[in-house]
Structure formats: C-alpha cells, structure tokens
Amino acid sequence: MKRNLGIARCGLACCLCSENATCRGCNSGDCPDKDWCENRKCSLEKSVDHCFSCHETECRKGMLSKIKPYGFSLFAHRYGDEKLLDCLERNEKYGVVYHREGITGDYDDFTDAEELVSFILNGRK
C-alpha cells in the first residue's frame, strides 16, 4: 500500500490501485483522466479536496454512480479518510484484495453501499 497516494477525489483508493506505479493520484495534477473526470472538476469548483468533504452527501455524479467509490466516500465522510486508510491497510494485511484480474476485487462484490461500508470497517462480509 502506498499510503502517501491516499484517496482519490471520488473516493477510490489511489493507495491500493495497481496503476500507482505510473500514476501519482488525481491530486498530483498530472492525472491522465483530469480533463474528463467529473468528480475532479466538481470538487475543484466547490473548493473541496474530496467528494466526501462536500455537503452534498447523496451526490452520485461521475464515479460516485458506482458502488465502490460511493461506498468509500460514505465511509470517509462518516469516519474520516485516515480511518479509511487504516481500515484498507488492515484489510490488505489480512488478504482483502483491492484489484484482482485487472479490475475486480473484494470491494467490487457489493450492490449495497452500506454493506460495503460495513465490510471496510470490519474486513469481513
């Protein structure tokens, strides 16, 4: 885990992404997706660092239309990004996989954001 990369503006875990060898995260300013990323654009316009810092907690714009970034954002909004990083690090240590075979991992097995929040917090389904 590259904790220094932290959490993306949309809530995804840059710190665990398999692409973090070449990507320095969306806050680095050189993200390859920065021109089209709706979450980056919106958070910059609102002068917030992350979607989870915004007062519109029910927002489902851009990447937040997907369960994983939305669930991660809900978690960070409730518990803080440091707690999210702590839980992700602990879960990784105990074998929870962020990515598997390209893009599918243990955090992708959810259809309900609240169940994902609980999984992040407890590390088990």
Side-chain angles (χ1 to χ4, degrees):
M1 180 166 156
K2 292 185 178 180
R3 193 177 179 111
N4 63 311
L5 292 179
I7 304 299
R9 289 178 178 271
C10 66
L12 288 176
C14 294
C15 58
L16 291 173
C17 181
S18 60
E19 297 176 22
N20 69 20
T22 56
C23 176
R24 294 187 347 223
C26 61
N27 289 324
S28 69
D30 62 339
C31 174
D33 301 327
K34 70 180 180 184
D35 293 331
W36 65 263
C37 180
E38 190 174 354
N39 302 101
R40 182 180 187 278
K41 181 179 178 181
C42 183
S43 62
L44 287 171
E45 286 172 0
K46 293 181 177 185
S47 298
V48 294
D49 291 335
H50 299 89
C51 294
F52 60 78
S53 301
C54 181
H55 67 279
E56 295 179 40
T57 56
E58 298 298 318
C59 177
R60 299 299 295 260
K61 287 182 188 174
M63 292 295 290
L64 295 178
S65 66
K66 299 178 181 191
I67 292 292
K68 185 163 69 173
Y70 183 66
F72 280 37
S73 288
L74 281 177
F75 186 98
H77 181 77
R78 291 178 189 164
Y79 303 104
D81 58 334
E82 286 300 314
K83 176 79 171 180
L84 176 57
L85 290 168
D86 290 345
C87 288
L88 293 174
E89 191 167 34
R90 179 207 60 220
N91 292 349
E92 181 185 45
K93 179 181 173 185
Y94 290 114
V96 175
V97 177
Y98 188 71
H99 287 304
R100 182 176 33 254
E101 295 177 22
I103 195 165
T104 305
D106 295 319
Y107 297 103
D108 296 301
D109 291 338
F110 294 88
T111 57
D112 181 83
E114 291 300 332
E115 289 177 7
L116 175 55
V117 168
S118 178
F119 178 68
I120 296 166
L121 191 59
N122 300 309
R124 57 187 176 275
K125 295 182 184 175

